[in-house]
Amino acid sequence: MKYILVTGGVISGIGKGIIASSIGTILKSCGLRVTAIKIDPYINIDAGTFSPYEHGEVFVLNDGGEVDLDLGNYERFLDINLYKDNNITTGKIYQHVINKERHGDYLGKTVQVVPHITDAVQEWVMNQAKVPVDDDKKEPQICVIELGGTIGDIEGMPFVEAFRQFQFKAKRENFCNIHVSLVPQPNATGEQKTKPTQNSVRALRGLGLSPDLIVCRSAKPIEMAVKEKISMFCHVEPEQVIFIHDVSSTYRVPILLEEQGIIKYFKQRLNLPIDDQPSDLLMKWKKMACRYERLLKVCSIALVGKYTKLSDCYASVFKALEHSALAINYKLDLMYIDSTELERSTEAENSVKYHQAWHKLCKADGILVPGGFGIRGTEGKLQAISWARTKKKPFLGVCLGMQLAVVEFARNCLNWEDANSTEFDPDTKNPVVIDMPEHNPGDMGGTMRLGKRRTVFKTENSVLKKLYGDEMFVEERHRHRYEVNPELTQCFEEKGLKFVGHDTEGNRMEIIELENHPYFVGVQFHPEFSSRPMKPSPPYLGLLLAATGTLNAYLQRGCKLSP
């Protein structure tokens, strides 16, 4: 097993996740089996209870793990399926050690950060690195480990110490450290500054880790003189300094790394049994990146949500839309609309914001209402859904988006004026969305219906069934506490809102489709978590096809994309 540790310096959010994913992609393109581990130094057990404004979206895995969004990057780039234990947090490690202490595993010993916490980290990494993540179920050969946060953070210190010890346990030819740093360019001078990188590398060395590669992030391409200066002051060869400037799409990052000789370096440094040249996989990435940059036709989608100030809150949704747009040769124009700005209360408080939001919604080619929690912004989402239904705009509702589509239909087509979800109004006379039987209202962490579940199509006459390739069932990832009330579904079906998919027992409504509408689809699951750059998610692909007016032609061709 070969281990590649990716650390970060100067600032957090520098792009370690994309660089770690890109390194994994390059090594996978050389024919190696690659897995990935993300370490988050926060004390939370998992990411499940975070607000999206804290760390971006919560990514859900097949086994129900609620994890950091970087694991989504790993899955998309490497086309693998990870597990909840591929995300290590301080909380998980301490809980593991404390449970062992209570069990009596350390009898007579003083339990300390060193060696007990650091040993637990190393043991966890070694065990999880062996777990197969590909469809062929073979043990991985390379494990890429991303250490979250910044070198020097107090909460990250036990992990840095664990890897300082681990480099000797694994042996030099099996362990490599990549340090990602920032090269800022102040507007006042326009000069690229290397001092932050020098200080960051010095701090890393002081903690006992020496970088094998220094990856320098910058806004613009870095000059050769800067590379030589970093090489000289950070005690590495010039070829060990890699530049990654801001690019038009993340698909470009593996190509930039490969062009700077990273395959040759890894081959020598880790004694890898590979050729110097990448295989067809990286050529496909190159073609995809070139195609992405040459797209001319534009499709605009309005994303109506309440976490619109930070794009990372809907990272997987954006990627799923981008994969689908790329598959049909369109450039995606994603317009984020804060759902509260569509509400009547905003018109009274700030009419300019209100009209701007509605202007965006009206000019969009398609409308997407993603998942979410809480009552804030729901009336605005209902307004957007009503607009999509009545104006026959292509619409996709995901999780809460589907539930609200049912609420909107109940209010405006069944004339149940107080129809609502019990999440928002526990006393409603028409509870069209109810909490699940197994919902435990006590603890909040890990109490939802999570992970990959089977959805069975109950009719042949379904757009989504055709988009999924006429499969009898699909398996997608879930993350919800509430669901459509199965006792009321007959009323909806009679008026044209069809529940075309349900769970294996037939009790849970999973997919809705509206008759006599170009594309009005709601799904209880989160198909965005399974979308891949070369395998777009069918519900999102359907939305893009409908928004560009090409859905019927696609279905007539037997769900084959035109060249």
Side-chain angles (χ1 to χ4, degrees):
M1 178 66 67
K2 309 287 183 182
Y3 300 92
I4 297 172
L5 175 66
V6 180
T7 57
V10 186
I11 58 168
S12 60
I14 200 170
K16 295 189 298 296
I18 295 295
I19 286 161
S21 304
S22 299
I23 287 163
T25 303
I26 289 168
L27 293 171
K28 187 166 184 175
S29 77
C30 296
L32 297 166
R33 293 186 300 279
V34 183
T35 185
I37 292 173
K38 172 73 192 290
I39 296 174
D40 287 302
Y42 45 68
I43 296 172
N44 303 59
I45 298 295
D46 60 29
T49 54
F50 281 141
S51 157
Y53 284 138
E54 288 283 317
H55 292 270
E57 73 169 6
V58 177
F59 191 81
V60 179
L61 302 170
N62 279 347
D63 66 356
E66 296 173 286
V67 296
D68 186 83
L69 60 83
D70 274 320
L71 275 84
N73 287 324
Y74 305 153
E75 288 206 345
R76 284 187 287 268
F77 272 73
L78 297 167
D79 194 16
I80 55 177
N81 290 306
L82 297 169
Y83 300 91
K84 62 176 77 168
D85 285 346
N86 286 78
N87 191 193
I88 302 174
T89 69
T90 296
K92 279 184 185 176
I93 293 291
Y94 273 79
Q95 187 180 56
H96 173 70
V97 171
I98 290 167
N99 287 343
K100 284 177 75 175
E101 188 274 331
R102 292 289 85 187
H103 187 254
D105 291 9
Y106 304 120
L107 276 183
K109 296 276 197 320
T110 304
V111 181
Q112 295 175 288
V113 173
V114 181
H116 301 102
I117 296 293
T118 52
D119 283 354
V121 172
Q122 295 171 61
E123 186 184 323
W124 194 307
V125 167
M126 285 190 291
N127 290 338
Q128 199 58 31
K130 294 173 188 170
V131 176
V133 291
D134 283 310
D135 293 336
D136 63 8
K137 301 297 177 192
K138 288 184 179 174
E139 189 177 307
Q141 299 160 291
I142 305 267
C143 180
V144 180
I145 305 153
E146 181 195 342
L147 176 55
T150 310
I151 289 299
D153 293 347
I154 290 172
E155 58 263 37
M157 289 297 184
F159 295 103
V160 177
E161 172 58 22
F163 286 108
R164 184 195 68 77
Q165 297 170 19
F166 186 68
Q167 64 187 332
F168 303 112
K169 190 180 287 185
K171 303 287 188 284
R172 178 175 160 75
E173 65 274 14
N174 298 324
F175 182 88
C176 175
N177 176 214
I178 297 170
H179 189 61
V180 185
S181 184
L182 178 72
V183 176
Q185 192 167 4
N187 289 332
T189 60
E191 185 186 358
Q192 291 171 328
K193 296 292 184 183
T194 64
K195 192 61 74 181
T197 299
Q198 292 177 42
N199 290 338
S200 179
V201 171
R202 186 183 300 118
L204 184 66
R205 281 221 170 85
L207 296 168
L209 285 170
S210 285
D212 295 286
L213 287 174
I214 300 172
V215 178
C216 300
R217 289 280 292 109
S218 62
K220 295 174 184 172
I222 294 177
E223 297 149 14
M224 187 52 68
V226 176
K227 182 174 187 170
E228 288 166 356
K229 190 173 180 182
I230 291 170
S231 165
M232 182 169 66
F233 286 105
C234 295
H235 196 62
V236 291
E237 296 282 347
E239 56 267 26
Q240 291 173 264
V241 182
I242 307 283
F243 296 156
I244 302 290
H245 58 275
D246 293 349
V247 284
S248 57
S249 90
T250 52
Y251 306 131
R252 274 268 161 224
V253 178
I255 298 155
L256 277 177
L257 288 166
E258 189 265 329
E259 285 171 352
Q260 294 179 66
I262 203 164
I263 295 175
K264 187 181 175 186
Y265 179 79
F266 279 136
K267 184 184 175 182
Q268 293 170 347
R269 175 69 180 75
L270 296 173
N271 296 331
L272 297 176
I274 55 173
D275 296 328
D276 285 351
Q277 295 304 314
S279 67
D280 297 342
L281 181 63
L282 208 60
M283 291 309 295
K284 283 181 186 172
W285 274 87
K286 282 184 181 177
K287 285 176 186 171
M288 191 165 59
C290 292
R291 212 167 90 239
Y292 180 89
E293 286 158 9
R294 286 202 301 264
L295 296 172
L296 298 173
K297 294 181 285 185
V298 177
C299 177
S300 60
I301 299 292
L303 188 155
V304 183
K306 64 177 186 179
Y307 307 115
T308 53
K309 292 185 179 70
L310 185 68
S311 60
D312 269 358
C313 296
Y314 299 110
S316 291
V317 171
F318 170 67
K319 287 297 176 187
L321 288 167
E322 190 179 64
H323 299 161
S324 298
L326 188 57
I328 60 171
N329 293 314
Y330 271 78
K331 188 182 276 289
L332 175 68
D333 175 21
L334 185 58
M335 299 183 289
Y336 292 96
I337 300 174
D338 188 331
S339 56
T340 57
E341 293 175 5
L342 298 171
E343 296 174 1
R344 287 285 178 194
S345 56
T346 302
E347 186 181 21
E349 294 165 12
N350 191 332
S351 60
V352 174
K353 261 188 181 178
Y354 175 81
H355 289 294
Q356 283 175 341
W358 272 101
H359 176 68
K360 272 188 192 176
L361 188 76
C362 295
K363 72 176 186 178
D365 298 316
I367 295 168
L368 170 71
V369 177
F373 296 90
I375 194 168
R376 184 175 69 83
T378 51
E379 288 304 317
K381 290 174 185 177
L382 289 166
Q383 297 273 8
I385 293 164
S386 186
W387 169 267
R389 182 179 58 77
T390 54
K391 302 296 180 185
K392 297 202 180 308
K393 282 273 186 189
F395 165 79
L396 175 62
V398 175
C399 197
L400 178 64
M402 169 186 149
Q403 295 170 8
L404 290 177
V406 172
V407 171
E408 189 278 331
F409 194 88
R411 289 182 184 179
N412 297 323
C413 298
L414 302 181
N415 297 317
W416 299 350
E417 289 182 11
D418 78 328
N420 213 331
S421 165
T422 56
E423 181 182 3
F424 311 129
D425 182 5
D427 304 319
T428 176
K429 292 191 182 71
N430 291 295
V432 293
V433 178
I434 56 173
D435 58 346
M436 298 182 302
E438 69 267 50
H439 172 215
N440 169 15
D443 289 343
M444 296 297 282
T447 56
M448 290 184 275
R449 185 167 179 248
L450 291 162
K452 189 164 80 170
R453 308 290 174 109
R454 182 169 291 189
T455 296
V456 180
F457 289 104
K458 67 173 190 180
T459 174
E460 293 297 315
N461 186 27
S462 160
V463 174
L464 213 52
K465 186 176 192 294
K466 290 170 186 167
L467 286 165
Y468 272 105
D470 270 324
E471 297 286 346
M472 297 302 293
F473 63 86
V474 293
E475 291 184 326
E476 294 279 10
R477 300 173 185 183
H478 292 68
R479 184 178 185 245
H480 63 109
R481 283 196 183 93
Y482 294 82
E483 62 190 11
V484 174
N485 189 343
E487 293 175 9
L488 303 176
T489 54
Q490 190 62 38
C491 306
F492 292 94
E493 299 249 350
E494 287 166 4
K495 288 284 189 176
L497 188 69
K498 302 294 183 186
F499 293 90
V500 300
H502 51 62
D503 72 341
T504 49
E505 283 77 41
N507 298 327
R508 294 196 157 104
M509 302 303 115
E510 293 278 355
I511 304 170
I512 59 165
E513 291 180 12
L514 182 63
E515 289 182 339
N516 306 315
H517 192 287
Y519 190 81
F520 190 95
V521 172
V523 291
Q524 183 58 71
F525 46 81
H526 288 267
E528 64 270 18
F529 294 142
S530 307
S531 183
R532 303 287 186 262
M534 295 170 203
K535 286 186 281 188
S537 166
Y540 285 91
L541 183 61
L543 177 65
L544 267 292
L545 287 163
T548 54
T550 55
L551 178 59
N552 289 335
Y554 176 77
L555 295 174
Q556 285 162 13
R557 286 195 304 271
C559 294
K560 289 185 173 66
L561 293 166
S562 57

